[in-house]
């Protein structure tokens, strides 16, 4: 990418004029394709949450600590 030609040259710095580009790219997603992709992402996120919750449940049954910074173990009093 080439720089625009300098508008002012001084002894220790260059000052460039800024060009404003009026072109804005808009990407059109067909409605069916967008809905299918959102459904796939929703299913994938639910699957990930389900797998993690299964891991936590098994670790609780085996009395293993859960390796998570936000987890606070119950008090043993």
């Amino acid at each position: 990418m080439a720089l625009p030609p300098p508008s002012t040259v001084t002894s220790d710095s260059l000052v460039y004029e800024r060009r404003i580009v009026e072109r804005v790219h808009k990407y059109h997603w067909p409605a069916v394709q967008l809905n299918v992709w959102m459904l796939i992402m929703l299913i994938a996120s639910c699957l990930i949450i389900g797998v993690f919750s299964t891991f936590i449940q098994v670790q609780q049954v085996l009395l293993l600590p859960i390796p998570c910074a936000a987890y606070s173990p119950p008090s043993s009093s």
Side-chain angles (χ1 to χ4, degrees):
M1 184 167 159
L3 294 174
S7 61
T8 306
V9 178
T10 61
S11 60
D12 54 48
S13 67
L14 295 175
V15 178
Y16 293 97
E17 288 183 11
R18 186 174 181 148
R19 292 187 326 176
I20 298 175
V21 179
E22 296 294 330
R23 183 176 34 193
V24 176
H25 294 285
K26 292 185 179 181
Y27 299 101
H28 176 70
W29 279 67
V32 174
Q33 184 181 4
L34 181 61
N35 288 338
V36 168
W37 181 248
M38 288 175 59
L39 183 64
I40 290 171
M41 291 295 105
L42 179 65
I43 292 170
S45 62
C46 290
L47 182 67
I48 291 170
I49 291 172
V51 168
F52 283 153
S53 65
T54 303
F55 285 161
I56 290 175
Q57 181 183 12
V58 169
Q59 285 180 326
Q60 286 177 343
V61 168
L62 297 174
L63 301 175
L64 295 173
I66 299 172
C68 180
Y71 175 73
S72 60
S75 61
S76 59
S77 53

